[in-house]
Amino acid sequence: MKKTKIIFLILFLGFFYPFHSFSEIIKQKKTTDENSNFNVFLDYSAVLDSVVKKEIPEGTHFSVNSFNLEMRGKANDKISYRFTKQFIKKTNIENYDMLDLAYLKYKWNDKLYFLFGKQPFSFGSMEYASGSYEHVYSYPHVYKKNKNNNYVGFSFIYYPIKDHELQFQVVNEIKQQGGNVIIQEINYPMGYSVNWNWSLNPNHDNDNDNDHDNDDNDNDNDKIIKNRWSYSIFQENEKKKFWKLLALGSQFNWKPVTIEADYILSDEDREQNRNITSILQSLNQYYYNVASVKYGTYLVKLKYNFIPKWNLIAKGVYETGTSKKGINDILGENKLFQKAYTYYGGIEFLPIIKNDDISFFLAYKNHRINYSLDKMKKENKNDHFIILGLNYRVKMI
């Protein structure tokens, strides 16, 4: 209870912090100043949303989607750091996930860097790389594991040539107490990711910046093409059980239009979010295993800056679910059991031109899940959301 009160006190102070003061700071300089030795940021997303599920209105309510307190900077010319405490609202649940980051970044030379500590996964796709201000348009069903929480390890980051980044990451999951894991053959499963980020910049020859210490370098909107590609494999708690993820994403920036396209293949020997497993267990009381499934997801997003300070945003998601193993008489092997569709449409207002640290938005979302098997069709979904909200990021220090 005390933690909750402290969080909302900080949030209250941040919200009523004089608007003109930090807006003037943003106008004068970029908030993520990579040359500063110490920076403190406060950012959050708050929404007022109306929900309709199975044709039944569930009312309108206010909630804080995410709240983040972050410290970052440089200890010296070689070492930079980042510490983050973030609370993100769980999908359709009032509880919050608490995400932590705490890592050091060491500069070996202009091309090679090392990361040590609690760090985010180096997944590909533009969906994963999207900022917190785009939280309302995110598709939460793609990355089944928690994006940042309870993983510690190291990463090698190498810049072979300008606008190309190669990253190899090894992380170890911190063992959780309790839970519903029946078989615990491996106490500390490891995860490995290989990531290739590259872009095309029309001003390539004129850009002499070789400093990669700032984690937000990808926010350079002058690059006409950005790509984030990765392949990851995670050992599960059982031997010979893995979660494999291929994530390919590209962004095309033809001002005033930006287009993003992603393909994500999630091969799960043990289903990560347990949705299908729960349905199968409800249909068969003797089924105690975790389903083995494969998901393929396609995402396309369009942003149109039709007038200064205003963006139109449209997004579509198509996802298929396929079984990897048969389950009694309910689900056969290599059978398509699910098709999901999600549509987003909205308008975004940015009070300060050329800066997205403050934004207001109005969005509509429709999420549909259609199951192919007759026994599962009662679980079909057709949910509607209307969302009005605010995102902003404040540089406290």
Side-chain angles (χ1 to χ4, degrees), residues 265-299:
L265 177 63
S266 183
D267 187 336
E268 307 168 14
D269 289 343
R270 291 172 56 85
E271 187 191 18
Q272 297 297 312
N273 59 16
R274 303 294 197 268
N275 288 344
I276 296 302
T277 300
S278 298
I279 294 175
L280 293 174
Q281 289 175 348
S282 68
L283 297 174
N284 185 345
Q285 60 179 330
Y286 301 107
Y287 180 72
Y288 301 105
N289 296 324
V290 178
S292 180
V293 296
K294 186 183 295 184
Y295 292 97
T297 309
Y298 305 82
L299 305 95

Side-chain angles (χ1 to χ4, degrees), residues 22-134:
F22 66 77
S23 64
E24 289 299 322
I25 292 174
I26 294 173
K27 290 179 181 179
Q28 293 172 10
K29 61 184 290 187
K30 187 68 177 177
T31 58
T32 52
D33 183 359
E34 64 179 283
N35 296 317
S36 177
N37 291 328
F38 182 69
N39 297 280
V40 178
F41 300 97
L42 172 68
D43 57 286
Y44 73 91
S45 171
V47 300
L48 180 68
D49 60 3
S50 179
V51 182
V52 177
K53 293 184 177 181
K54 296 184 177 180
E55 309 302 329
I56 300 176
E58 295 192 353
T60 301
H61 68 282
F62 173 83
S63 64
V64 176
N65 273 344
S66 64
F67 171 75
N68 182 57
L69 184 64
E70 178 179 2
M71 293 182 292
R72 65 165 65 190
K74 293 183 179 181
N76 53 44
D77 291 338
K78 289 287 187 179
I79 299 176
S80 59
Y81 60 87
R82 182 182 179 189
F83 302 98
T84 299
K85 178 72 70 173
Q86 186 175 25
F87 298 84
I88 296 181
K89 186 175 181 293
K90 293 181 179 181
T91 305
N92 302 328
I93 302 177
E94 293 302 324
N95 295 330
Y96 289 80
D97 283 324
M98 185 172 66
L99 310 180
D100 296 315
L101 294 178
Y103 64 81
L104 298 178
K105 188 175 185 180
Y106 179 75
K107 178 181 178 181
W108 183 267
N109 53 43
D110 287 340
K111 290 184 177 294
L112 184 61
Y113 292 73
F114 301 97
L115 258 65
F116 306 90
K118 206 170 186 181
Q119 55 192 278
F121 294 134
S122 59
F123 288 147
S125 83
M126 306 311 297
E127 183 75 3
Y128 187 78
S130 62
S132 59
Y133 63 92
E134 294 187 328

